[in-house]
Amino acid sequence: MHDVDDTVRELSSAIGLPIYKRFSEEEAACQLGMSKQTLKRLRDAGRIGFVRISKRKLAFFGFQLAEYLLNAIEDTTCQDMP
């Protein structure tokens, strides 16, 4: 089983995302607030993990969505502000 670190667990808990629930592409895109096409581009670029269920069917675990969100956080500093 995938080892989920504490940061992913905390984020998942805070946003109500079950870490071991399996989401369809449509559900995952909805959870992330993006289109299925954007999710596909992220997947193709290797920026989000997924599980291949069959030749044509994919799924995403909650921890994969949480890991993507954590990796997508961009640091800003006060110097970036006008």
Side-chain angles (χ1 to χ4, degrees):
M1 184 172 288
H2 182 80
D3 186 30
V4 177
D5 72 23
D6 291 338
T7 307
V8 171
R9 286 183 191 280
E10 289 175 25
L11 174 65
S12 295
S13 177
I15 63 174
L17 186 65
I19 59 174
Y20 293 114
K21 179 179 177 183
R22 199 168 71 183
F23 295 89
S24 68
E25 284 186 282
E26 188 170 317
E27 291 168 330
C30 184
Q31 286 287 327
L32 295 173
M34 62 180 63
S35 69
K36 283 176 56 177
Q37 187 61 32
T38 298
L39 180 60
K40 181 184 182 316
R41 282 195 298 269
L42 292 172
R43 190 185 78 232
D44 291 346
R47 293 187 54 204
I48 189 167
F50 65 96
V51 178
R52 184 164 300 282
I53 304 301
S54 68
K55 187 175 180 178
R56 294 184 182 166
K57 189 172 181 180
L58 304 173
F60 300 82
F61 281 105
F63 68 81
Q64 292 171 310
L65 304 182
E67 287 171 348
Y68 165 75
L69 290 172
L70 286 170
N71 291 330
I73 294 172
E74 295 182 18
D75 290 327
T76 58
T77 65
C78 293
Q79 296 171 355
D80 296 336
M81 306 297 279

